[in-house]
Amino acid sequence: MSRPANGSLPRLRPADLRIRPLARAETIPSAWYTDPGFHALDRDAVFATSWQHVADAHQLARPGDHAIADVAGEPIIVVRGKDGALRAFFNVCRHRGGPLAMKDGNADMLICKYHGWTYRLDGMLRGVPHFNRVELFDKRDYGLTPVHLAEWEGLVFVSLAERPKPLETYLKGIRERIAPARIGELRFARRIDYDVHANWKVYVDNYLEGYHVPYVHPELYSLYDYEGYVTEVHDWYSVQVGPLTGNSNVYTAGGGEALYYQVFPNLMLNVVPGRLQSNVVIPTAPDRCKVIFRYYYADVESSGARERIDADIAFSDRVQHEDAEICERVQQGLGSRAYDKGRFSVRFEEGVYHFQALLKTAYRSWLKR
Ligand code: FES
Ligand SMILES: [Fe+2]
């Protein structure tokens, strides 16, 4: 597999890559959010080198079940084999680049949608229509190109890296902390995709701080003990812990805490008692991203559960629109000649600082290759 060329690297000033202590640090420069060169750099240095959550094991239970995804601009397919194993491949036919699937589904064989080359679920090329006069052609040389795959608590990840570190390296400690929520046993309920007119990092930055909650989300603000809100920082993720107030609310009849994990670079796991919501932020253009929300619950079937799920999703949708709107305005602000870099609240923005430090580290290792 050929490796992306260094291409035209955007302008990276050594001073901007330096990581200073939080209390003295500046935010990353505005060009990192607006310049198309950084869109390409993020794709190669961040998205093509990290584990990406692309599907759910429960939804790929039967042989032939498959799901498609976009990872670092590459079309990917995840498929359950006849042997029960999950595998991932580039969703790219070895004939002339056609797609094996255009949407999620189930199939006995993966049949290219362009001219019908047929692959087994394990990626081997099996059938090639009208190829009998072709010389020096061996089907064994034309299997699908595999991609690394790993599972964590029912979530399926892939990595385009040549030799990725184990997925557990990045998630260490999360399972133990959220054990009472038993997320591996939750059932998938719904997926909702949002298009946001902002760079993916604007969206992640915004997620990583509760600083904006009183201003952007008055309704959400009333559910938390804001003073008790804390951020904990780990190697590859940070978690915001929001104690829920005792009043009955959309999340819980009484108390508990909300855990907001952000795993570098673009995965969020939002855990409240009895429910997991995951968000995956996918850059689609220098100033646009897609955010995929997936909802999982302990109970998805009883009529009471369905009502609670509808209420939860409706509430989350309101909050999401508030976030999307402010992110779109911030994207405009970052593009203004009036702005380059800002500073961090030590109390509330350690998660943003940590994310930006990991980003700088990713850029630096990309430059060192
Ligand atoms: S591109 Fe797949 S069969 Fe031609
Ligand atoms: Fe928000």
Side-chain angles (χ1 to χ4, degrees), residues 150-365:
E151 268 184 74
W152 183 85
E153 298 294 310
L155 310 184
V156 180
F157 292 75
V158 302
S159 173
L160 302 186
E162 266 169 53
R163 277 184 301 279
K165 285 190 210 137
L167 175 61
E168 289 284 341
T169 310
Y170 300 94
L171 303 168
K172 203 158 69 198
I174 300 181
R175 183 186 285 115
E176 294 71 17
R177 176 77 184 267
I178 60 175
R182 291 219 282 268
I183 65 163
E185 291 170 27
L186 302 182
R187 304 267 309 277
F188 175 85
R190 213 171 298 175
R191 165 178 168 163
I192 304 174
D193 293 13
Y194 294 93
D195 277 307
V196 180
H197 197 156
N199 182 270
W200 72 278
K201 300 186 288 292
V202 172
Y203 191 88
V204 173
D205 285 347
N206 173 73
Y207 175 90
L208 280 165
E209 43 89 358
Y211 201 21
H212 71 271
V213 170
Y215 299 95
V216 176
H217 311 297
E219 190 185 358
L220 181 65
Y221 178 60
S222 69
L223 303 184
Y224 290 106
D225 163 17
Y226 188 67
E227 294 308 314
Y229 203 97
V230 292
T231 302
E232 297 167 15
V233 165
H234 299 258
D235 289 349
W236 290 100
Y237 61 86
S238 64
V239 55
Q240 298 167 75
V241 184
L244 296 163
T245 50
N247 314 335
S248 104
N249 62 50
V250 65
Y251 291 150
T252 170
E257 58 183 15
L259 296 166
Y260 297 102
Y261 284 92
Q262 205 282 333
V263 184
F264 187 79
N266 65 329
L267 172 67
M268 291 76 147
L269 301 172
N270 306 316
V271 186
V272 296
R275 121 25 181 132
L276 165 70
Q277 179 205 77
S278 71
N279 316 138
V280 177
V281 189
I282 299 171
T284 50
D287 61 351
R288 275 183 193 273
C289 61
K290 176 164 90 170
V291 188
I292 302 174
F293 278 55
R294 291 179 174 93
Y295 292 87
Y296 309 79
Y297 298 88
D299 177 2
V300 292
E301 247 134 50
S302 71
S303 64
R306 265 187 255 146
E307 255 169 56
R308 277 196 302 278
I309 290 172
D310 287 342
D312 180 29
I313 293 177
F315 176 60
S316 162
D317 187 69
R318 293 199 292 280
V319 173
Q320 167 64 6
H321 280 106
E322 292 163 352
D323 280 321
E325 190 183 350
I326 196 71
C327 286
E328 296 181 9
R329 298 297 178 128
V330 167
Q331 183 70 34
Q332 285 184 331
L334 293 169
S336 163
R337 72 186 83 177
Y339 185 85
D340 183 29
K341 291 186 241 180
R343 299 288 303 267
F344 295 107
S345 155
V346 173
R347 166 71 179 92
F348 271 114
E349 291 177 295
E350 189 181 2
V352 186
Y353 164 78
H354 178 248
F355 164 72
Q356 296 191 357
L358 288 172
L359 182 74
K360 291 178 184 184
T361 307
Y363 287 174
R364 283 154 90 157
S365 28

